């Protein structure tokens, strides 16, 4: 058995896929098949031992529960095992390479986590008075300073909770600026390669969406865009680098045309990881841009919400930034929460959410910035681009890269032409990656190429781990093209679950467990 330090998994001779000899227990090695907690719980079992409650008279006004609440009954070790087993079915950036494009799944440094858990930050209450939270407010102020410096923009709104929420914040600021000019402009231009959140946000904010086509080289068609500009256009929403992993080289010209038409330039900053520290969006003529702290500044992508998508604003939009506003005066820092008591010259459009934002994410992002320094942030961007180009150059002879003639930015885009006639689809290819121990890349996005496979390795992968990944994808592509398609049909074979019926799952999702429906629900 040969052990190559670059390979992530060593397959010993004599290894048999489990299907050939099912286990007696139904478990697979130390990976347990786990039922729903309601199925393993028993009536009458509990993990806690509390004394009976002595209540003379209830004060529930007849509203008290008459039947058992139906919680699953388990002992404490059973509960712990249940959740630990489930957690082992998860794939995470801490378990392996996560090549999703358009997501920037980079390492979450442990230093960030340590800082976020400092009691002064971790235990902070959002309603604590400013006198007790000066340090936290100063941290937010420092983070704002980093974000405005790195982007070359004068202002930043910190409260949006994610990239998409930031888009909404930017468009609401744009709408307020247009209203302040006494105009109504109902239309927003969005390139066809845009992330789905862009048109969704524009529609949600009450605008109509007009699509701008892409050129054969994967960039937005600047001439087509200019032709669509007019007095009814409020803004364009452009991603740069775009979702094909390409820099929009005509961006300054586009910004000039947009401003000449009286419109604003919203930039989707999700791909800032490719240019942070090298390019200042403010120098390109951008009016508003969200920054996904969970993409560029290494905060974790959480289940249930990434947490922070600050929006930097140009001088034209800065007065309309939402409350709360962070101000500093001789008495220290304070938050302005009342829209009738805002500093002179500001006209907040309203507010995005209850509090000032996600403190835990702010601490992590600033910790990342301070530990890297400005030169380190720039180095991270350069390495992210280098890694993506290494992937592109190493795979484009066996996979097909529609825009692979020149270099890419932080992500490498392939289409499915190399699979033509093999019977293997992008979906099969991606699912077979799971059997190889890799999370699939982004599939079928962006929509401008057929059967897209978008790979973003990020700067935090070593050359060894990239080589191992490239080796697997090359072998898979060569096998598919040689007609050896067994590993693709029905993949994944080795994951806790086989290929799911995704149409049924989307059309008839089983979202709720009901005791009576157990047989169907478990299917
Ligand atoms: C991730 C992403 C978004 C949305 O950001 P969230 O933080 O997930 O809401 C928008 N646009 C692009 C290009 C993205 O990659």
């Amino acid at each position: 058995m040969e052990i190559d330090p670059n390979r992530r998994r060593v397959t010993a001779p004599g290894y048999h896929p489990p299907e050939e000899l099912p286990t007696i227990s139904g478990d697979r090695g130390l990976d347990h098949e786990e039922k729903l907690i309601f199925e393993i719980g028993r009536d009458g079992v509990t993990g806690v031992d509390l004394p009976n409650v002595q209540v003379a008279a209830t004060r529930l006004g007849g509203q008290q529960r008459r039947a058992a609440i139906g919680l699953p009954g388990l002992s404490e070790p059973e509960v712990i095992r249940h959740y630990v087993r489930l957690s082992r079915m998860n794939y995470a950036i801490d378990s392996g390479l996560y090549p999703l494009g358009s997501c920037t799944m980079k390492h979450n440094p442990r230093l960030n986590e340590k800082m976020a858990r400092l009691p002064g930050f971790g235990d902070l209450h959002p309603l604590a008075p400013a006198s007790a939270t000066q340090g936290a407010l100063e941290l937010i102020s420092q983070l704002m300073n980093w974000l405005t410096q790195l982007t070359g923009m004068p202002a930043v709104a910190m409260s949006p909770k994610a990239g998409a929420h930031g888009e909404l914040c930017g468009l609401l600021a744009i709408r307020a600026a247009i209203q302040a000019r006494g105009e109504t402009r109902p239309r927003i231009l969005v390139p066809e390669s845009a992330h789905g959140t862009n048109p969704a946000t524009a529609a949600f904010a009450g605008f109509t969406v007009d699509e701008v086509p892409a050129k054969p080289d994967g960039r937005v068609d600047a001439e087509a865009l200019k032709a669509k500009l007019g007095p009814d256009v409020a803004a364009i929403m452009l991603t740069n680098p775009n979702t094909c992993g390409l820099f929009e080289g005509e961006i300054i010209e586009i910004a000039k045309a947009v401003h000449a038409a009286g419109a604003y330039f919203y930039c989707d900053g999700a791909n800032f990881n490719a240019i942070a520290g090298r390019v200042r969006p403010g120098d390109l003529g951008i009016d508003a841009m969200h920054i996904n702290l969970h993409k560029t500044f290494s905060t974790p992508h959480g289940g249930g919400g990434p947490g922070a998508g600050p929006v930097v604003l140009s001088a034209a939009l800065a007065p309309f930034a939402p409350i709360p506003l962070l101000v500093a005066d001789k008495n220290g820092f304070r938050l302005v929460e009342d829209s009738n008591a805002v500093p002179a010259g500001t006209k907040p459009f309203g507010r995005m959410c209850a509090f000032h934002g996600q403190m835990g994410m702010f601490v992590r992002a600033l910790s990342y910035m301070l530990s890297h320094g400005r030169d380190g942030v720039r180095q991270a961007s350069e390495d992210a681009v280098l890694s993506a180009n290494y992937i592109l150059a190493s795979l484009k002879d066996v996979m097909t890269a529609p825009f692979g003639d020149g270099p890419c930015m932080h992500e490498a885009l392939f289409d499915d032409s190399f699979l033509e006639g093999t019977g293997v689809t992008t979906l099969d290819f991606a699912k077979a990656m799971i059997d190889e121990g890799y999370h699939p890349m982004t599939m079928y996005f962006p929509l401008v190429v057929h059967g897209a496979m978008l790979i973003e390795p990020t700067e935090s992968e070593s050359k060894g781990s990239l080589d191992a990944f490239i080796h697997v994808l090359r072998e898979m592509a060569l096998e598919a093209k040689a007609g050896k398609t067994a590993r693709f049909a029905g993949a994944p074979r080795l994951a806790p679950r086989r290929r799911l019926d995704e149409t049924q799952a989307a059309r008839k999702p089983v979202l709720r467990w009901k005791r009576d429906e157990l047989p169907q629900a478990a299917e």
Side-chain angles (χ1 to χ4, degrees):
M1 182 171 74
E2 222 180 36
I3 298 184
D4 173 353
N6 287 336
R7 297 295 298 273
R8 301 169 64 257
R9 186 171 295 158
V10 178
T11 304
Y15 171 80
H16 294 289
E19 298 90 271
E20 288 177 22
L21 182 60
T23 57
I24 296 160
S25 62
D27 295 333
R28 297 153 61 83
L30 301 180
D31 288 333
H32 292 84
E33 183 60 34
E34 190 68 5
K35 293 180 174 167
L36 294 177
I37 196 164
F38 289 96
E39 295 169 67
I40 50 180
R42 285 100 55 215
D43 287 339
V45 178
T46 174
V48 288
D49 188 7
L50 298 174
N52 285 336
V53 190
Q54 304 290 329
V55 185
T58 73
R59 286 184 282 169
L60 294 171
Q63 297 301 309
Q64 66 264 42
R65 186 178 292 282
R66 279 171 230 290
I69 192 168
L71 291 177
L74 296 94
S75 69
E76 182 175 305
E78 286 174 324
V79 173
I80 290 174
R81 279 189 187 155
H82 175 72
Y83 286 107
V84 169
R85 287 173 176 184
L86 288 186
S87 77
R88 290 174 48 149
M89 293 181 192
N90 266 343
Y91 192 81
I93 191 66
D94 290 340
S95 31
L97 191 149
Y98 215 123
L100 277 184
S102 208
C103 287
T104 312
M105 303 295 292
K106 67 206 266 178
H107 174 59
N108 311 136
R110 288 305 174 268
L111 180 64
N112 300 357
E113 299 303 317
K114 195 172 172 187
M115 295 301 113
R117 282 165 179 70
L118 289 175
F121 297 130
D123 298 341
L124 206 58
H125 193 280
L127 292 176
S131 59
T133 54
Q134 285 297 303
L137 295 177
E138 184 177 349
L139 183 143
I140 297 174
S141 164
Q142 275 200 35
L143 178 59
M144 292 169 80
N145 188 38
W146 271 84
L147 293 174
T148 52
Q149 294 278 329
L150 282 170
T151 55
M153 307 279 275
V156 56
M158 296 301 287
S159 56
K161 302 280 194 196
H165 204 209
E167 291 171 27
L168 182 63
C169 175
L171 291 196
L172 293 179
I174 287 169
R175 191 170 66 189
I178 289 171
Q179 279 170 355
R181 292 184 345 211
E183 294 177 33
T184 43
R185 290 173 171 250
R187 208 150 58 91
I188 293 220
L189 307 182
V190 182
E192 59 181 1
S193 65
H195 192 271
T197 51
N198 292 186
T201 302
F204 187 71
F207 294 98
T208 54
V209 179
D210 199 350
E211 256 194 18
V212 184
K215 289 186 298 183
D217 71 355
R219 271 90 174 174
V220 66
D221 187 333
E223 291 313 313
L225 188 147
K226 284 185 206 164
K228 283 177 181 281
L229 286 168
D232 62 337
V233 172
I236 63 157
M237 294 182 90
L238 192 75
T239 311
N240 200 17
N242 70 21
T243 58
C244 300
L246 304 169
F247 194 83
E248 294 283 359
E250 291 176 296
I251 187 163
I252 292 180
E253 190 190 328
I254 291 172
K256 282 188 183 142
V258 167
H259 290 150
Y264 294 96
F265 187 166
Y266 187 91
C267 182
D268 180 327
N271 294 337
F272 195 42
N273 198 47
I275 56 171
R278 278 196 72 108
V279 177
R280 301 193 320 160
D283 297 338
L284 305 175
I286 286 157
D287 290 299
M289 182 180 95
H290 70 259
I291 300 170
N292 313 61
L293 297 187
H294 47 288
K295 294 180 183 175
T296 307
F297 296 109
S298 83
T299 71
H301 290 54
V311 181
V312 287
L313 299 166
S314 67
L317 295 181
F320 305 97
I323 50 169
L325 304 175
L326 179 63
V327 295
D329 55 27
K330 61 177 186 342
N331 299 322
F333 294 97
R334 66 192 164 88
L335 291 173
V336 177
E337 301 271 4
D338 181 355
S339 54
N340 296 316
V342 293
T346 60
K347 305 179 204 78
F349 68 72
R351 66 186 305 146
M352 295 298 294
C353 50
F355 298 112
H356 194 57
Q358 242 293 15
M359 193 64 203
M361 295 302 148
F362 295 166
V363 180
R364 288 175 176 88
L366 186 65
S367 170
Y368 177 82
M369 292 165 173
L370 293 177
S371 55
H372 279 67
R374 191 178 183 130
D375 57 334
V377 169
R378 178 188 171 111
Q379 179 79 48
S381 300
E382 290 171 353
D383 290 351
V385 172
L386 183 63
S387 293
N389 276 285
Y390 186 56
I391 298 247
L392 180 66
S394 306
L395 289 175
K396 71 179 183 183
D397 61 326
V398 292
M399 293 169 73
T400 34
F403 312 120
D405 293 340
C408 61
M409 295 298 290
H410 62 307
E411 48 195 359
L413 178 62
F414 300 93
D415 66 17
D416 63 358
S417 320
F418 73 101
L419 294 172
E420 214 175 300
T422 63
V424 176
T425 64
T426 290
L427 184 72
D428 299 328
F429 196 84
K431 296 289 184 194
M433 286 170 68
I434 298 174
D435 287 332
E436 301 295 330
Y438 287 110
H439 190 286
M441 69 286 265
T442 291
M443 299 181 284
Y444 300 108
F445 176 82
L447 305 177
V448 288
V449 304
H450 198 268
M453 297 176 222
L454 185 62
I455 301 176
E456 181 179 355
T458 79
E459 71 282 3
S460 45
E461 292 301 330
S462 67
K463 179 168 181 295
S465 96
L466 295 182
D467 284 337
F469 176 72
I470 289 164
H471 172 72
V472 166
L473 261 62
R474 282 192 73 84
E475 292 299 310
M476 283 173 52
L478 291 172
E479 276 195 16
K481 291 206 264 197
K484 290 200 237 162
T485 55
R487 72 171 70 258
F488 300 100
R493 297 168 296 127
L494 307 176
R497 288 291 174 274
R498 307 290 166 276
R499 183 85 61 104
L500 301 176
D501 183 338
E502 294 181 9
T503 313
Q504 282 282 35
R507 293 264 162 84
K508 290 192 185 154
V510 181
L511 302 176
R512 192 171 151 216
W513 181 82
K514 284 195 209 139
R515 205 169 275 259
D516 306 336
E517 290 174 10
L518 184 56
Q520 296 94 300
E523 250 170 32

